[in-house]
C-alpha cells in the first residue's frame, strides 16, 4: 500500500514540475510580488496633499502654514480664490485645503482669529488622522500666540505633552508589515489554488474514474493531492521571509523560525484542504477560482491585518474566529515581530490545528460521497 | 474581417451560456463581496484596546482618562500598575496602547506647568500604530483645550471666542467620515479587476490545453479576429456586472451618488476593455489554465487591491508604490469612480484618466496581438 501511495505522490509532484511557466509565476509570487507589495497600502498620514488659500499674506499666516510640514503634509499648491479651492479638491489634486481670511493677523493680536480647513473625507481613516493632527497644530499655535496678546505675555500655561514610544517597530516602517502580509496572502491563495487545481484537473480531463477504479482509498487520494502543496508552499514561505522580508527590507525577525515553519505547514494543510473541498464542489477550474475568491477576500479583510478585530461588530468578530487566516496572521506577526513563543500563541495554533483537521475531514467526506 | 470576429464572438457567447453556474457565479460572487463589505465589514479603526497606568489618581488624571473612556476610538480595557505589566499587555496583544500618567500629574498642572504623559504603542501593525498615535493626539489636544480654557477664564480672558486662534473644519464629500462610502465604490474598481480578467484569462489557454487551438491556427481567421471575437462577449459580461453592482450600491445601499451615471458608465466600459484585454494577454502568454489564474491573481487582482488607492491616497505611498500605481488601470478608474460617487462635477477633470485607460487598452491588445503567434509548439 505504501508503494501505491508513493507512486501517486510522485505523479502529483511531476505534474506540478512539468508546468514551467507556472513554476516561474510561483517564484514571482514569493519574491517580486512580495517585494513590490512592501511598498503598497499605507493608511497613515504621509505626504498628505494640501492646498492653501492665504488671503492674509502676513507673518502670522505664514507662521501658521509653515507648521503643515513634512513628512505628514505636502504642499501641492497655492490658490487665490474659493473657486480654485473647490476645483483642486474636486480633481483630487489636494485632499485638504487651508483657508486663511484677510484679517487673520489683526485678529491674532486680539485673540479672535479663525481659519478654515476643508477636508476631503472620501478616505475617512486618513482624513480623520489629518483632522486630529491639524487640531493639535492649531492648538499649539494658539498657545504660542497668547504670548503676543496683551496681558498674557510671559505666563506659564498648564499643558500636557504626549511622549510616544513605539514597541517592535520604533519608526513604524510600513514595508516590514506589508511585505510579510503579502507572504501570508500568497501562502493562503496558492495553498488553496494549487490543491484545488490538482483535483479539478482530474475532473476536467475525466481521469477521476481512473483513480476511482484504482485500489486506493479516497482519503489516500486526498493525501496524495495535498502532499506537494504542503511540502513546497511552507518552504517557499520561509524562504520568502528570510530572503525578501528580512533580506531585502532588513526587517528584524525576532522569533523562532522553527515554530513558524511547523505552524505554517499546518496552516497550508488547512488551506489546501479547503481548496480541495471547493474543488469537489466545482466542475471547472474557473468555477473553483470564483469560489476561492469569494472565500479569500472576506477572510483576508477579517484577518485583523487591515482593521483590528475589536473594530468589528460582534457577529463579524465571531465569524473571523472560524477563519484560519485570522489565527495565522495573529500568530505570524506575534512570532516573527514580537518574538513570542508558544505560551503566547497557543490559542492561535490550536485554532489553526482544529480548523485544519475539520476542513480536511469535511472535504474528504464530500469527496468520498462523490465517489460512491 | 468583422464577420469572422463576430462568428467567434457568437461561439464564445454560446459556450459561456452553456455553463450557467459559472456565468451565475461571475455575477453572484462580486455582489456577495459587495454586500458583505457594505453591510457587515467595517474598515473604520474604532474601539482600540487601551490600558492606563494612573500613578496620580487625582481629579485631573481622572478627567484625562475620561477622554479615552468617552472616545469611540478607544475602549479602556485595564488599569495597570507598572511598566512591566504594560509591556506584557502589549506583547500579548491584550492592549494596543498604554497611557502612563506620572504621579505628579495633577499637582504640576495646578502649578501651571507642562507635564509629559507616556504613550506606548504596539508597532507590529505600523499603520494601526500610527492611527493609535493620532487618536491619542486627538484626545490629548481636547484635554489641552480644556486646560487652556480653564486657565484663560482664571486669568480674566475677555476674548470673543473660547480660544485665541480657532480652527473651523468642514468635511466634504463624505461628511460622516464613514469608510463604507469610499470602500464600496473602491470595491467596484477592485471587483471589476478580479472577475473579468479571470474569465478572459482562460480563453486562449483553454483552447491550447484542449488542443482546439489548432483549429484556429489552421483557419484563415486573423489574430485580430481571434482577440476581438473573444473579447467582445466578455466585455459585455463585465459591463453588465458593473451595471448590477452600480445599481445595488446606489439603490440597495443608498450610497451617495452625485456624479454623472453616463460618465461613469463610459469609463466602466473602457475599463472593461482594459481588464478583459489584460486577461487575454495573460492567456496568450501562459501554457496552463492554472498558470493563467495564478498570473491573473498576481498581475491584475493583487496590485489593484494594494496600489490603486482603495484604502489610502495614492499620494501617500512611497516612490515605488506611486510608480506601480501609475502602471495599473485600476488607479485611473478609481479617481473616476470616487469622483462620480462622492464629488460630482463634469467630465473635464477626468479626461486624463480616460486617456490613460485608452492608452492602456491599446498597449494590452497590441502586445497580445504580437505574442499570439499562429504556429504549433
Amino acid at each position: 500500500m505504501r508503494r501505491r501511495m508513493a507512486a501517486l505522490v510522485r505523479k502529483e509532484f511531476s505534474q506540478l514540475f512539468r508546468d514551467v511557466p507556472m513554476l516561474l509565476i510561483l517564484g514571482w509570487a514569493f519574491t517580486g510580488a512580495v517585494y513590490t507589495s512592501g511598498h503598497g497600502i499605507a493608511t497613515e498620514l504621509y505626504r498628505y496633499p494640501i492646498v492653501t488659500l492665504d488671503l492674509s499674506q502676513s507673518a502670522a499666516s505664514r507662521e501658521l502654514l509653515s507648521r503643515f510640514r513634512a513628512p505628514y503634509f505636502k504642499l501641492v499648491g497655492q490658490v487665490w480664490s474659493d473657486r480654485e479651492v473647490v476645483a483642486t479638491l474636486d480633481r483630487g489634486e489636494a485632499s485638504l485645503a487651508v483657508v486663511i481670511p484677510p484679517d487673520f493677523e489683526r485678529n491674532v493680536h486680539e485673540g479672535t482669529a479663525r481659519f478654515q480647513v476643508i477636508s476631503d473625507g472620501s478616505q475617512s481613516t486618513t482624513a480623520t488622522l489629518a483632522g486630529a493632527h491639524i487640531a493639535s497644530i492649531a492648538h499649539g499655535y494658539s498657545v504660542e500666540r497668547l504670548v503676543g496678546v496683551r496681558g498674557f505675555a510671559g505666563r506659564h500655561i498648564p499643558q500636557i505633552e504626549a511622549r510616544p514610544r513605539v514597541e517592535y517597530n520604533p519608526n513604524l516602517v510600513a514595508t516590514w508589515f506589508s511585505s510579510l502580509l503579502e507572504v501570508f496572502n500568497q501562502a493562503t491563495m496558492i495553498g488553496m489554488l494549487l490543491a484545488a487545481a490538482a483535483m479539478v484537473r482530474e475532473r476536467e480531463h475525466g481521469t477521476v474514474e481512473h483513480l476511482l477504479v484504482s485500489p486506493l482509498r479516497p482519503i489516500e487520494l486526498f493525501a496524495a493531492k495535498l502532499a506537494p502543496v504542503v511540502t513546497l508552499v511552507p518552504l517557499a514561505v520561509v524562504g520568502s521571509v528570510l530572503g525578501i522580508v528580512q533580506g531585502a527590507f532588513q526587517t528584524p525577525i525576532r522569533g523562532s523560525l522553527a515554530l513558524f515553519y511547523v505552524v505554517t505547514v499546518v496552516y497550508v494543510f488547512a488551506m489546501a484542504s479547503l481548496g480541495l473541498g471547493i474543488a469537489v464542489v466545482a466542475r471547472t477550474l474557473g468555477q473553483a477560482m470564483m469560489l476561492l475568491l469569494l472565500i479569500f477576500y472576506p477572510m483576508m479583510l477579517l484577518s485583523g491585518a487591515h482593521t483590528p478585530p475589536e473594530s468589528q461588530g460582534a457577529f463579524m468578530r465571531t465569524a473571523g474566529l472560524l477563519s484560519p487566516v485570522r489565527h495565522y496572521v495573529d500568530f505570524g506577526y506575534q512570532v516573527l515581530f514580537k518574538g513570542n513563543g508558544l505560551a503566547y500563541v497557543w490559542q492561535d495554533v490550536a485554532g489553526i490545528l482544529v480548523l485544519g483537521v475539520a476542513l480536511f475531514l469535511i472535504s474528504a467526506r464530500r469527496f468520498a460521497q462523490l465517489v460512491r | 474581417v468583422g464577420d469572422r470576429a463576430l462568428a467567434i464572438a457568437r461561439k464564445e457567447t454560446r459556450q459561456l451560456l452553456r455553463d450557467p453556474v459559472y456565468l451565475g457565479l461571475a455575477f453572484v460572487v462580486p455582489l456577495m463581496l459587495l454586500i458583505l463589505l457594505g453591510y457587515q465589514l467595517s474598515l473604520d479603526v474604532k474601539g482600540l484596546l487601551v490600558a492606563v497606568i494612573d500613578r496620580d489618581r487625582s481629579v485631573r488624571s481622572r478627567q484625562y482618562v475620561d477622554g479615552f473612556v468617552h472616545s469611540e476610538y478607544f475602549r479602556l480595557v485595564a488599569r495597570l500598575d507598572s511598566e512591566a505589566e504594560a509591556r506584557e499587555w502589549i506583547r500579548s496583544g491584550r492592549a494596543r496602547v498604554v497611557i502612563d500618567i506620572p504621579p505628579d500629574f495633577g499637582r504640576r498642572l495646578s502649578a501651571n506647568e507642562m507635564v509629559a504623559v507616556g504613550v506606548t504603542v504596539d508597532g507590529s501593525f505600523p499603520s494601526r500604530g500610527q492611527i493609535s498615535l493620532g487618536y491619542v493626539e486627538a484626545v490629548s489636544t481636547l484635554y489641552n483645550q480644556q486646560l487652556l480654557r480653564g486657565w484663560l477664564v482664571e486669568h480674566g480672558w475677555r476674548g470673543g471666542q473660547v480660544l485665541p486662534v480657532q480652527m473651523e473644519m468642514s468635511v466634504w464629500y463624505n461628511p460622516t467620515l464613514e469608510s463604507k462610502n469610499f470602500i464600496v465604490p473602491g470595491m467596484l474598481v477592485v471587483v471589476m479587476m478580479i472577475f473579468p480578467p479571470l474569465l478572459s484569462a482562460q480563453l486562449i489557454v483553454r483552447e491550447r490545453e484542449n488542443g482546439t487551438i489548432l483549429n484556429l491556427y489552421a483557419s484563415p481567421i486573423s489574430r485580430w479576429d481571434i482577440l476581438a471575437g473573444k473579447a467582445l462577449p466578455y466585455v459585455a459580461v463585465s459591463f453588465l456586472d458593473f451595471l448590477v453592482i452600480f445599481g445595488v450600491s446606489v439603490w440597495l445601499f443608498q450610497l451617495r451618488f452625485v456624479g454623472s451615471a453616463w460618465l461613469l458608465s463610459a469609463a466602466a466600459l473602457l475599463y472593461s476593455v482594459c481588464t478583459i484585454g489584460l486577461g487575454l494577454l495573460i492567456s496568450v502568454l501562459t501554457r496552463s489554465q492554472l498558470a493563467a489564474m495564478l498570473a491573473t491573481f498576481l498581475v491584475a487582482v493583487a496590485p489593484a487591491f494594494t496600489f490603486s488607492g482603495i484604502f489610502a491616497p495614492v499620494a501617500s505611498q512611497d516612490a515605488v508604490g506611486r510608480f506601480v500605481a501609475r502602471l495599473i488601470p485600476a488607479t485611473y478608474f478609481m479617481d473616476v469612480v470616487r469622483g462620480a460617487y462622492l464629488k460630482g462635477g463634469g467630465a473635464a477633470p477626468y479626461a486624463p484618466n480616460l486617456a490613460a485607460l485608452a492608452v492602456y487598452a491599446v498597449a494590452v491588445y497590441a502586445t497580445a496581438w504580437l505574442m499570439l503567434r499562429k504556429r504549433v509548439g
Side-chain angles (χ1 to χ4, degrees):
Chain A
M1 190 217 91
R2 194 179 288 161
R3 270 235 312 279
R4 286 202 304 258
M5 265 299 273
L8 199 58
V9 168
R10 219 170 21 246
K11 174 220 149 212
E12 293 296 336
F13 268 100
S14 67
Q15 215 156 19
L16 193 66
F17 282 121
R18 222 168 36 196
D19 190 350
V20 177
M22 216 254 335
L23 290 176
L24 290 177
I25 295 165
L26 274 183
W28 168 260
F30 284 101
T31 53
V34 172
Y35 184 80
T36 47
S37 292
H39 300 279
I41 300 176
T43 40
E44 53 260 44
L45 194 62
Y46 173 69
R47 293 167 52 95
Y48 201 61
I50 59 173
V51 62
T52 60
L53 168 56
D54 181 3
L55 298 171
S56 165
Q57 287 294 313
S58 58
S61 67
R62 274 191 291 274
E63 163 64 20
L64 174 64
L65 288 176
S66 74
R67 295 173 186 228
F68 290 79
R69 58 181 152 230
Y72 305 110
F73 298 103
K74 182 171 189 278
L75 184 66
V76 292
Q78 273 177 297
V79 295
W80 303 106
S81 70
D82 287 344
R83 232 193 36 224
E84 284 173 277
V85 167
V86 176
T88 317
L89 288 174
D90 272 352
R91 282 197 302 268
E93 283 163 24
S95 299
L96 194 112
V98 184
V99 180
I100 300 182
D103 52 1
F104 184 72
E105 186 161 50
R106 186 164 43 86
N107 289 345
V108 163
H109 293 305
E110 288 172 10
T112 57
R114 281 163 184 267
F115 70 98
Q116 211 194 353
V117 169
I118 303 163
S119 167
D120 175 349
S122 53
Q123 268 153 336
S124 55
T125 310
T126 334
T128 308
L129 281 183
H133 197 62
I134 293 170
S136 132
I137 288 177
H139 181 79
Y141 183 79
S142 256
V143 169
E144 281 180 38
R145 281 289 139 171
L146 267 180
V147 179
V149 178
R150 214 170 339 112
F152 289 89
R155 301 210 194 216
H156 291 289
I157 306 169
Q159 292 284 280
I160 62 167
E161 189 191 1
R163 294 263 166 81
R165 189 183 69 204
V166 181
E167 302 263 357
Y168 308 115
N169 184 353
N171 297 316
L172 292 168
V173 184
T175 46
W176 294 1
F177 165 80
S178 38
S179 57
L180 192 57
L181 181 62
E182 185 71 5
V183 178
F184 294 167
N185 283 342
Q186 306 295 27
T188 308
M189 190 66 207
I190 291 171
M192 290 195 293
L193 184 58
L194 283 186
M199 182 62 79
V200 171
R201 199 164 33 213
E202 309 266 6
R203 298 192 77 181
E204 278 192 318
H205 293 178
T207 46
V208 189
E209 283 72 15
H210 299 195
L211 293 171
L212 297 185
V213 295
S214 76
L216 285 158
R217 284 183 297 144
I219 202 140
E220 289 169 345
L221 281 178
F222 234 66
K225 297 252 169 242
L226 289 175
V229 184
V230 175
T231 318
L232 294 177
V233 174
L235 288 177
V237 167
V238 172
S240 186
V241 166
L242 289 175
I244 310 293
V245 179
Q246 190 180 40
F249 291 124
Q250 258 90 60
T251 310
I253 300 293
R254 297 193 179 82
S256 152
L257 274 174
L259 173 64
F260 177 67
Y261 172 73
V262 171
V263 176
T264 301
V265 171
V266 181
Y267 176 68
V268 172
F269 164 76
M271 297 322 289
S273 300
L274 181 56
L276 278 180
I278 286 168
V280 173
V281 181
R283 304 208 157 265
T284 63
L285 192 58
Q287 287 184 2
M289 188 72 185
M290 295 270 169
L291 292 173
L292 282 183
L293 286 168
L294 178 62
I295 294 175
F296 177 74
Y297 277 103
M299 282 199 307
M300 196 180 110
L301 291 169
L302 274 177
S303 68
H306 295 280
T307 355
E310 64 260 30
S311 296
Q312 300 298 342
F315 175 72
M316 278 288 147
R317 223 170 30 231
T318 319
L321 292 175
L322 289 175
S323 140
V325 188
R326 159 80 190 281
H327 300 288
Y328 186 62
V329 164
D330 190 56
F331 161 83
Y333 285 107
Q334 278 209 46
V335 168
L336 296 178
F337 281 5
K338 296 185 171 179
N340 287 352
L342 264 181
Y344 289 89
V345 294
W346 65 269
Q347 283 171 313
D348 288 328
V349 175
I352 297 169
L353 200 61
V354 168
L355 289 169
V357 171
L359 285 168
F360 179 78
L361 291 179
I362 294 170
S363 299
R365 228 185 114 88
R366 295 269 338 182
F367 181 65
Q369 282 167 349
L370 179 91
V371 169
R372 249 182 253 122
Chain B
V1 181
D3 287 350
R4 287 177 182 153
L6 283 182
I8 295 193
R10 253 198 312 278
K11 174 235 158 200
E12 288 297 336
T13 312
R14 212 167 286 162
Q15 206 166 4
L16 194 59
L17 292 176
R18 221 168 36 196
D19 190 352
V21 178
Y22 187 38
L23 189 60
L25 281 176
F27 286 94
V28 171
V29 173
L31 264 185
M32 288 179 76
L33 277 181
L34 209 71
I35 288 173
L36 195 68
L37 282 167
Y39 272 137
Q40 284 295 343
L41 251 172
S42 162
L43 289 173
D44 298 313
V45 178
K46 284 182 181 163
L48 283 172
L49 310 173
V50 63
V52 175
I53 310 176
D54 186 354
R55 302 174 200 266
D56 190 33
R57 293 171 195 275
S58 65
V59 179
R60 298 249 195 196
S61 71
R62 254 195 304 278
Q63 272 173 353
Y64 178 54
V65 173
D66 276 349
F68 290 92
V69 175
H70 297 312
S71 162
E72 60 171 335
Y73 296 118
F74 291 104
R75 194 156 69 82
L76 185 66
V77 285
R79 293 171 192 276
L80 308 175
D81 293 319
S82 69
E83 205 164 318
E85 214 181 345
R87 205 166 265 144
E88 191 53 33
W89 275 67
I90 288 201
R91 181 168 187 186
S92 61
R94 279 176 290 172
R96 316 268 180 212
V97 185
V98 175
I99 308 292
D100 189 344
I101 300 171
D104 50 0
F105 184 84
R107 191 183 55 71
R108 292 184 61 179
L109 284 181
S110 301
N112 293 337
E113 285 174 38
M114 192 84 155
V115 185
V117 172
V119 180
T120 311
V121 167
D122 181 352
S124 58
F125 293 72
S127 97
R128 187 180 309 162
Q130 231 222 8
I131 292 172
S132 315
L133 287 178
Y135 291 169
V136 172
E137 189 181 18
V139 171
S140 301
T141 302
L142 269 177
Y143 186 66
N144 272 336
Q145 285 173 350
Q146 247 180 52
L147 287 173
L148 180 61
R149 223 171 288 148
W151 182 84
L152 284 171
V153 170
E154 231 170 78
H155 287 75
W157 174 257
R158 272 184 205 75
Q161 57 193 30
V162 279
L163 292 174
V165 179
Q166 195 109 326
M167 175 191 69
E168 289 158 357
M169 175 121 145
S170 43
V171 178
W172 285 7
Y173 311 128
N174 179 12
T176 46
L177 285 174
E178 275 177 287
S179 66
K180 187 175 84 178
N181 289 332
F182 79 96
I183 290 291
V184 173
M187 274 314 277
L188 169 70
V189 177
V190 173
V191 158
M192 284 181 72
M193 190 42 110
I194 299 176
F195 299 97
L198 277 176
L199 293 174
S200 65
Q202 298 172 69
L203 288 175
I204 288 166
V205 77
R206 192 172 52 202
E207 304 240 19
R208 197 174 275 135
E209 272 195 331
N210 296 344
T212 47
I213 192 111
L214 294 175
N215 303 351
L216 287 177
Y217 288 165
S219 68
I221 303 168
S222 77
R223 286 182 277 172
W224 273 126
D225 289 332
I226 298 178
L227 289 176
K230 287 192 178 282
L232 214 56
Y234 285 88
V235 169
V237 168
S238 169
F239 189 69
L240 279 177
D241 230 347
F242 156 76
L243 289 179
V244 171
I245 296 174
F246 175 52
V248 166
S249 69
V250 173
W251 283 298
L252 189 66
F253 292 146
Q254 303 278 311
L255 279 196
R256 178 190 161 95
F257 184 85
V258 292
S260 150
W262 290 109
L263 171 67
L264 180 62
S265 301
L269 190 59
L270 194 51
Y271 185 59
S272 296
V273 173
C274 289
T275 59
I276 295 295
L278 182 58
L280 277 175
L281 175 60
I282 290 168
S283 200
V284 167
L285 293 175
T286 46
R287 292 287 170 274
S288 69
Q289 286 191 61
L290 175 59
M293 306 237 126
L294 256 182
T296 310
F297 179 71
L298 290 172
V299 178
V301 179
F305 210 86
T306 312
F307 297 102
S308 65
I310 178 171
F311 295 116
V314 171
S316 295
Q317 292 172 6
D318 66 12
V320 179
R322 289 200 301 277
F323 177 72
V324 179
R326 289 281 148 248
L327 288 181
I328 58 172
T331 313
Y332 299 97
F333 187 48
M334 185 70 80
D335 283 346
V336 183
V337 172
R338 290 246 170 89
Y341 272 86
L342 298 168
K343 296 183 177 177
Y350 303 112
N353 295 63
L354 298 179
L357 288 176
V359 168
Y360 189 88
V362 170
V364 165
Y365 285 91
T367 318
W369 181 77
L370 278 174
M371 303 307 285
L372 180 65
R373 295 272 150 70
K374 286 189 69 171
R375 60 158 191 240
V376 183

